[in-house]
mmCIF file of all heavy atoms in Angstrom:
data_model
loop_
_atom_site.group_PDB
_atom_site.id
_atom_site.type_symbol
_atom_site.label_atom_id
_atom_site.label_comp_id
_atom_site.label_asym_id
_atom_site.label_seq_id
_atom_site.Cartn_x
_atom_site.Cartn_y
_atom_site.Cartn_z
ATOM 1 N N TYR I 58 1.384 -3.667 6.024
ATOM 2 C CA TYR I 58 1.586 -2.946 4.759
ATOM 3 C C TYR I 58 3.076 -2.648 4.544
ATOM 4 O O TYR I 58 3.606 -2.873 3.455
ATOM 5 C CB TYR I 58 0.777 -1.645 4.749
ATOM 6 C CG TYR I 58 0.977 -0.857 3.484
ATOM 7 C CD1 TYR I 58 0.346 -1.242 2.304
ATOM 8 C CD2 TYR I 58 1.814 0.238 3.442
ATOM 9 C CE1 TYR I 58 0.542 -0.550 1.120
ATOM 10 C CE2 TYR I 58 2.023 0.943 2.273
ATOM 11 C CZ TYR I 58 1.377 0.542 1.115
ATOM 12 O OH TYR I 58 1.589 1.232 -0.056
ATOM 13 N N VAL I 59 3.748 -2.178 5.585
ATOM 14 C CA VAL I 59 5.182 -1.874 5.474
ATOM 15 C C VAL I 59 5.960 -3.143 5.161
ATOM 16 O O VAL I 59 6.863 -3.144 4.320
ATOM 17 C CB VAL I 59 5.708 -1.196 6.756
ATOM 18 C CG1 VAL I 59 7.227 -1.098 6.749
ATOM 19 C CG2 VAL I 59 5.085 0.193 6.902
ATOM 20 N N ARG I 60 5.586 -4.258 5.792
ATOM 21 C CA ARG I 60 6.252 -5.540 5.510
ATOM 22 C C ARG I 60 6.083 -5.901 4.040
ATOM 23 O O ARG I 60 7.020 -6.314 3.370
ATOM 24 C CB ARG I 60 5.662 -6.621 6.426
ATOM 25 C CG ARG I 60 6.465 -7.854 6.538
ATOM 26 C CD ARG I 60 6.045 -8.784 7.675
ATOM 27 N NE ARG I 60 4.650 -8.777 8.065
ATOM 28 C CZ ARG I 60 4.189 -8.204 9.197
ATOM 29 N NH1 ARG I 60 5.018 -7.592 10.013
ATOM 30 N NH2 ARG I 60 2.907 -8.251 9.492
ATOM 31 N N ARG I 61 4.867 -5.714 3.502
ATOM 32 C CA ARG I 61 4.611 -6.007 2.088
ATOM 33 C C ARG I 61 5.474 -5.122 1.181
ATOM 34 O O ARG I 61 6.071 -5.604 0.220
ATOM 35 C CB ARG I 61 3.136 -5.778 1.763
ATOM 36 C CG ARG I 61 2.824 -6.044 0.301
ATOM 37 C CD ARG I 61 1.461 -5.575 -0.097
ATOM 38 N NE ARG I 61 0.409 -6.346 0.554
ATOM 39 C CZ ARG I 61 -0.865 -6.047 0.442
ATOM 40 N NH1 ARG I 61 -1.264 -5.019 -0.261
ATOM 41 N NH2 ARG I 61 -1.772 -6.776 1.051
ATOM 42 N N VAL I 62 5.545 -3.849 1.496
ATOM 43 C CA VAL I 62 6.353 -2.920 0.698
ATOM 44 C C VAL I 62 7.822 -3.333 0.719
ATOM 45 O O VAL I 62 8.490 -3.353 -0.326
ATOM 46 C CB VAL I 62 6.185 -1.467 1.212
ATOM 47 C CG1 VAL I 62 7.212 -0.533 0.597
ATOM 48 C CG2 VAL I 62 4.778 -0.966 0.941
ATOM 49 N N LEU I 63 8.315 -3.685 1.884
ATOM 50 C CA LEU I 63 9.719 -4.089 1.995
ATOM 51 C C LEU I 63 9.999 -5.381 1.237
ATOM 52 O O LEU I 63 11.026 -5.497 0.555
ATOM 53 C CB LEU I 63 10.120 -4.237 3.463
ATOM 54 C CG LEU I 63 10.195 -2.938 4.250
ATOM 55 C CD1 LEU I 63 10.385 -3.221 5.733
ATOM 56 C CD2 LEU I 63 11.312 -2.056 3.715
ATOM 57 N N VAL I 64 9.107 -6.348 1.347
ATOM 58 C CA VAL I 64 9.296 -7.610 0.620
ATOM 59 C C VAL I 64 9.326 -7.342 -0.876
ATOM 60 O O VAL I 64 10.168 -7.877 -1.599
ATOM 61 C CB VAL I 64 8.198 -8.629 0.993
ATOM 62 C CG1 VAL I 64 8.183 -9.798 0.037
ATOM 63 C CG2 VAL I 64 8.387 -9.111 2.421
ATOM 64 N N ARG I 65 8.402 -6.514 -1.353
ATOM 65 C CA ARG I 65 8.381 -6.195 -2.787
ATOM 66 C C ARG I 65 9.636 -5.433 -3.205
ATOM 67 O O ARG I 65 10.159 -5.655 -4.295
ATOM 68 C CB ARG I 65 7.147 -5.367 -3.131
ATOM 69 C CG ARG I 65 5.879 -6.170 -3.130
ATOM 70 C CD ARG I 65 4.703 -5.309 -3.492
ATOM 71 N NE ARG I 65 3.482 -6.077 -3.503
ATOM 72 C CZ ARG I 65 2.280 -5.539 -3.582
ATOM 73 N NH1 ARG I 65 2.145 -4.230 -3.658
ATOM 74 N NH2 ARG I 65 1.214 -6.304 -3.584
ATOM 75 N N ALA I 66 10.100 -4.531 -2.361
ATOM 76 C CA ALA I 66 11.274 -3.721 -2.709
ATOM 77 C C ALA I 66 12.550 -4.547 -2.735
ATOM 78 O O ALA I 66 13.388 -4.388 -3.622
ATOM 79 C CB ALA I 66 11.435 -2.561 -1.729
ATOM 80 N N VAL I 67 12.680 -5.448 -1.789
ATOM 81 C CA VAL I 67 13.905 -6.239 -1.685
ATOM 82 C C VAL I 67 13.838 -7.453 -2.592
ATOM 83 O O VAL I 67 14.814 -7.807 -3.242
ATOM 84 C CB VAL I 67 14.159 -6.643 -0.215
ATOM 85 C CG1 VAL I 67 15.338 -7.593 -0.120
ATOM 86 C CG2 VAL I 67 14.386 -5.414 0.631
ATOM 87 N N GLY I 68 12.698 -8.110 -2.646
ATOM 88 C CA GLY I 68 12.555 -9.280 -3.508
ATOM 89 C C GLY I 68 13.430 -10.428 -3.069
ATOM 90 O O GLY I 68 13.973 -10.442 -1.981
ATOM 91 N N GLU I 69 13.548 -11.374 -3.925
ATOM 92 C CA GLU I 69 14.395 -12.528 -3.669
ATOM 93 C C GLU I 69 15.843 -12.176 -4.000
ATOM 94 O O GLU I 69 16.100 -11.381 -4.900
ATOM 95 C CB GLU I 69 13.939 -13.718 -4.517
ATOM 96 C CG GLU I 69 12.564 -14.231 -4.156
ATOM 97 C CD GLU I 69 12.491 -14.767 -2.734
ATOM 98 O OE1 GLU I 69 13.436 -15.466 -2.312
ATOM 99 O OE2 GLU I 69 11.502 -14.470 -2.054
ATOM 100 N N PRO I 70 16.801 -12.808 -3.316
ATOM 101 C CA PRO I 70 18.211 -12.545 -3.626
ATOM 102 C C PRO I 70 18.504 -12.814 -5.099
ATOM 103 O O PRO I 70 18.071 -13.819 -5.654
ATOM 104 C CB PRO I 70 18.968 -13.526 -2.726
ATOM 105 C CG PRO I 70 18.017 -13.849 -1.625
ATOM 106 C CD PRO I 70 16.631 -13.751 -2.227
ATOM 107 N N GLY I 71 19.185 -11.890 -5.737
ATOM 108 C CA GLY I 71 19.546 -12.042 -7.138
ATOM 109 C C GLY I 71 18.465 -11.598 -8.105
ATOM 110 O O GLY I 71 18.697 -11.467 -9.296
ATOM 111 N N GLU I 72 17.274 -11.371 -7.601
ATOM 112 C CA GLU I 72 16.169 -10.942 -8.457
ATOM 113 C C GLU I 72 16.191 -9.414 -8.565
ATOM 114 O O GLU I 72 16.345 -8.730 -7.565
ATOM 115 C CB GLU I 72 14.841 -11.392 -7.840
ATOM 116 C CG GLU I 72 13.621 -10.982 -8.632
ATOM 117 C CD GLU I 72 12.336 -11.403 -7.934
ATOM 118 O OE1 GLU I 72 12.242 -12.567 -7.537
ATOM 119 O OE2 GLU I 72 11.461 -10.541 -7.776
ATOM 120 N N PRO I 73 16.056 -8.884 -9.785
ATOM 121 C CA PRO I 73 16.047 -7.428 -9.898
ATOM 122 C C PRO I 73 14.823 -6.846 -9.185
ATOM 123 O O PRO I 73 13.776 -7.486 -9.130
ATOM 124 C CB PRO I 73 15.969 -7.171 -11.401
ATOM 125 C CG PRO I 73 15.517 -8.441 -12.012
ATOM 126 C CD PRO I 73 15.888 -9.544 -11.057
ATOM 127 N N VAL I 74 14.989 -5.654 -8.633
ATOM 128 C CA VAL I 74 13.895 -5.029 -7.907
ATOM 129 C C VAL I 74 12.730 -4.746 -8.844
ATOM 130 O O VAL I 74 11.584 -5.015 -8.530
ATOM 131 C CB VAL I 74 14.374 -3.724 -7.223
ATOM 132 C CG1 VAL I 74 13.203 -2.985 -6.599
ATOM 133 C CG2 VAL I 74 15.431 -4.031 -6.178
ATOM 134 N N MET I 75 13.012 -4.237 -10.026
ATOM 135 C CA MET I 75 11.960 -3.921 -10.990
ATOM 136 C C MET I 75 12.080 -4.856 -12.185
ATOM 137 O O MET I 75 12.920 -4.669 -13.045
ATOM 138 C CB MET I 75 12.056 -2.464 -11.444
ATOM 139 C CG MET I 75 11.735 -1.453 -10.360
ATOM 140 S SD MET I 75 10.051 -1.579 -9.739
ATOM 141 C CE MET I 75 9.159 -0.876 -11.093
ATOM 142 N N THR I 76 11.233 -5.841 -12.207
ATOM 143 C CA THR I 76 11.212 -6.750 -13.345
ATOM 144 C C THR I 76 10.360 -6.132 -14.447
ATOM 145 O O THR I 76 9.576 -5.202 -14.212
ATOM 146 C CB THR I 76 10.623 -8.106 -12.953
ATOM 147 O OG1 THR I 76 9.271 -7.910 -12.532
ATOM 148 C CG2 THR I 76 11.418 -8.766 -11.845
ATOM 149 N N GLU I 77 10.487 -6.655 -15.636
ATOM 150 C CA GLU I 77 9.696 -6.162 -16.762
ATOM 151 C C GLU I 77 8.205 -6.310 -16.477
ATOM 152 O O GLU I 77 7.417 -5.393 -16.735
ATOM 153 C CB GLU I 77 10.069 -6.934 -18.029
ATOM 154 C CG GLU I 77 9.374 -6.429 -19.277
ATOM 155 C CD GLU I 77 9.814 -7.178 -20.521
ATOM 156 O OE1 GLU I 77 10.922 -7.749 -20.522
ATOM 157 O OE2 GLU I 77 9.029 -7.177 -21.484
ATOM 158 N N SER I 78 7.820 -7.441 -15.906
ATOM 159 C CA SER I 78 6.395 -7.647 -15.614
ATOM 160 C C SER I 78 5.905 -6.669 -14.549
ATOM 161 O O SER I 78 4.772 -6.196 -14.623
ATOM 162 C CB SER I 78 6.135 -9.083 -15.178
ATOM 163 O OG SER I 78 6.835 -9.379 -13.996
ATOM 164 N N ARG I 79 6.758 -6.333 -13.595
ATOM 165 C CA ARG I 79 6.380 -5.350 -12.558
ATOM 166 C C ARG I 79 6.183 -3.975 -13.182
ATOM 167 O O ARG I 79 5.228 -3.274 -12.855
ATOM 168 C CB ARG I 79 7.437 -5.315 -11.456
ATOM 169 C CG ARG I 79 7.140 -4.335 -10.358
ATOM 170 C CD ARG I 79 6.007 -4.812 -9.467
ATOM 171 N NE ARG I 79 5.849 -3.850 -8.389
ATOM 172 C CZ ARG I 79 4.709 -3.251 -8.093
ATOM 173 N NH1 ARG I 79 3.626 -3.545 -8.751
ATOM 174 N NH2 ARG I 79 4.640 -2.380 -7.133
ATOM 175 N N VAL I 80 7.068 -3.576 -14.079
ATOM 176 C CA VAL I 80 6.934 -2.285 -14.764
ATOM 177 C C VAL I 80 5.639 -2.262 -15.566
ATOM 178 O O VAL I 80 4.884 -1.276 -15.531
ATOM 179 C CB VAL I 80 8.159 -2.000 -15.665
ATOM 180 C CG1 VAL I 80 7.923 -0.760 -16.520
ATOM 181 C CG2 VAL I 80 9.416 -1.841 -14.819
ATOM 182 N N GLU I 81 5.358 -3.340 -16.281
ATOM 183 C CA GLU I 81 4.117 -3.415 -17.061
ATOM 184 C C GLU I 81 2.893 -3.324 -16.156
ATOM 185 O O GLU I 81 1.914 -2.657 -16.488
ATOM 186 C CB GLU I 81 4.088 -4.707 -17.886
ATOM 187 C CG GLU I 81 5.078 -4.711 -19.024
ATOM 188 C CD GLU I 81 5.187 -6.049 -19.723
ATOM 189 O OE1 GLU I 81 4.611 -7.051 -19.211
ATOM 190 O OE2 GLU I 81 5.836 -6.105 -20.772
ATOM 191 N N GLU I 82 2.954 -3.985 -15.027
ATOM 192 C CA GLU I 82 1.853 -3.933 -14.056
ATOM 193 C C GLU I 82 1.621 -2.495 -13.578
ATOM 194 O O GLU I 82 0.486 -2.032 -13.500
ATOM 195 C CB GLU I 82 2.179 -4.842 -12.875
ATOM 196 C CG GLU I 82 1.175 -4.795 -11.751
ATOM 197 C CD GLU I 82 1.658 -5.576 -10.537
ATOM 198 O OE1 GLU I 82 2.366 -6.593 -10.712
ATOM 199 O OE2 GLU I 82 1.325 -5.159 -9.425
ATOM 200 N N ILE I 83 2.696 -1.782 -13.294
ATOM 201 C CA ILE I 83 2.595 -0.390 -12.842
ATOM 202 C C ILE I 83 2.000 0.479 -13.939
ATOM 203 O O ILE I 83 1.122 1.304 -13.689
ATOM 204 C CB ILE I 83 3.976 0.136 -12.389
ATOM 205 C CG1 ILE I 83 4.408 -0.577 -11.113
ATOM 206 C CG2 ILE I 83 3.931 1.652 -12.171
ATOM 207 C CD1 ILE I 83 5.849 -0.348 -10.732
ATOM 208 N N VAL I 84 2.453 0.296 -15.168
ATOM 209 C CA VAL I 84 1.937 1.087 -16.292
ATOM 210 C C VAL I 84 0.441 0.843 -16.455
ATOM 211 O O VAL I 84 -0.341 1.792 -16.612
ATOM 212 C CB VAL I 84 2.708 0.762 -17.595
ATOM 213 C CG1 VAL I 84 2.013 1.374 -18.800
ATOM 214 C CG2 VAL I 84 4.140 1.248 -17.493
ATOM 215 N N ARG I 85 0.024 -0.420 -16.395
ATOM 216 C CA ARG I 85 -1.417 -0.725 -16.531
ATOM 217 C C ARG I 85 -2.210 -0.062 -15.414
ATOM 218 O O ARG I 85 -3.285 0.505 -15.664
ATOM 219 C CB ARG I 85 -1.648 -2.231 -16.523
ATOM 220 C CG ARG I 85 -1.302 -2.915 -17.836
ATOM 221 C CD ARG I 85 -1.808 -4.358 -17.877
ATOM 222 N NE ARG I 85 -1.190 -5.208 -16.875
ATOM 223 C CZ ARG I 85 -0.022 -5.836 -17.039
ATOM 224 N NH1 ARG I 85 0.640 -5.734 -18.162
ATOM 225 N NH2 ARG I 85 0.476 -6.586 -16.068
ATOM 226 N N ARG I 86 -1.700 -0.109 -14.200
ATOM 227 C CA ARG I 86 -2.409 0.500 -13.083
ATOM 228 C C ARG I 86 -2.511 2.015 -13.244
ATOM 229 O O ARG I 86 -3.569 2.603 -13.028
ATOM 230 C CB ARG I 86 -1.725 0.153 -11.759
ATOM 231 C CG ARG I 86 -2.556 0.609 -10.550
ATOM 232 C CD ARG I 86 -1.922 0.240 -9.242
ATOM 233 N NE ARG I 86 -0.762 1.079 -9.062
ATOM 234 C CZ ARG I 86 0.366 0.688 -8.494
ATOM 235 N NH1 ARG I 86 0.511 -0.528 -8.051
ATOM 236 N NH2 ARG I 86 1.384 1.518 -8.336
ATOM 237 N N VAL I 87 -1.427 2.649 -13.647
ATOM 238 C CA VAL I 87 -1.430 4.104 -13.842
ATOM 239 C C VAL I 87 -2.423 4.484 -14.935
ATOM 240 O O VAL I 87 -3.201 5.431 -14.788
ATOM 241 C CB VAL I 87 -0.014 4.622 -14.179
ATOM 242 C CG1 VAL I 87 -0.055 6.053 -14.661
ATOM 243 C CG2 VAL I 87 0.890 4.487 -12.963
ATOM 244 N N LEU I 88 -2.416 3.746 -16.029
ATOM 245 C CA LEU I 88 -3.361 4.037 -17.128
ATOM 246 C C LEU I 88 -4.808 3.840 -16.668
ATOM 247 O O LEU I 88 -5.679 4.651 -16.999
ATOM 248 C CB LEU I 88 -3.057 3.141 -18.341
ATOM 249 C CG LEU I 88 -1.771 3.454 -19.071
ATOM 250 C CD1 LEU I 88 -1.494 2.409 -20.156
ATOM 251 C CD2 LEU I 88 -1.802 4.850 -19.678
ATOM 252 N N ARG I 89 -5.036 2.790 -15.909
ATOM 253 C CA ARG I 89 -6.386 2.518 -15.412
ATOM 254 C C ARG I 89 -6.851 3.618 -14.464
ATOM 255 O O ARG I 89 -7.977 4.083 -14.530
ATOM 256 C CB ARG I 89 -6.395 1.152 -14.717
ATOM 257 C CG ARG I 89 -7.736 0.629 -14.322
ATOM 258 C CD ARG I 89 -7.713 -0.796 -13.784
ATOM 259 N NE ARG I 89 -6.748 -1.020 -12.712
ATOM 260 C CZ ARG I 89 -5.632 -1.757 -12.826
ATOM 261 N NH1 ARG I 89 -5.337 -2.355 -13.954
ATOM 262 N NH2 ARG I 89 -4.814 -1.908 -11.810
ATOM 263 N N GLU I 90 -5.957 4.051 -13.570
ATOM 264 C CA GLU I 90 -6.319 5.057 -12.574
ATOM 265 C C GLU I 90 -6.435 6.456 -13.171
ATOM 266 O O GLU I 90 -7.131 7.300 -12.626
ATOM 267 C CB GLU I 90 -5.313 5.056 -11.429
ATOM 268 C CG GLU I 90 -5.408 3.816 -10.577
ATOM 269 C CD GLU I 90 -4.343 3.744 -9.496
ATOM 270 O OE1 GLU I 90 -3.503 4.670 -9.423
ATOM 271 O OE2 GLU I 90 -4.344 2.762 -8.745
ATOM 272 N N SER I 91 -5.758 6.707 -14.282
ATOM 273 C CA SER I 91 -5.805 8.046 -14.873
ATOM 274 C C SER I 91 -6.939 8.177 -15.897
ATOM 275 O O SER I 91 -7.196 9.251 -16.412
ATOM 276 C CB SER I 91 -4.475 8.393 -15.531
ATOM 277 O OG SER I 91 -4.198 7.505 -16.603
ATOM 278 N N ALA I 92 -7.608 7.073 -16.205
ATOM 279 C CA ALA I 92 -8.704 7.107 -17.197
ATOM 280 C C ALA I 92 -9.966 7.702 -16.625
ATOM 281 O O ALA I 92 -10.208 7.806 -15.502
ATOM 282 C CB ALA I 92 -8.973 5.697 -17.709
#
Side-chain angles (χ1 to χ4, degrees):
Y58 179 77
V59 170
R60 196 167 30 254
R61 179 191 293 174
V62 168
L63 291 171
V64 167
R65 286 181 180 169
V67 174
E69 295 297 318
E72 179 183 311
V74 173
M75 292 298 286
T76 62
E77 184 178 337
S78 62
R79 180 73 176 126
V80 172
E81 290 172 351
E82 175 188 327
I83 292 168
V84 169
R85 283 191 297 275
R86 188 178 71 216
V87 168
L88 290 174
R89 188 173 52 250
E90 290 176 359
S91 63

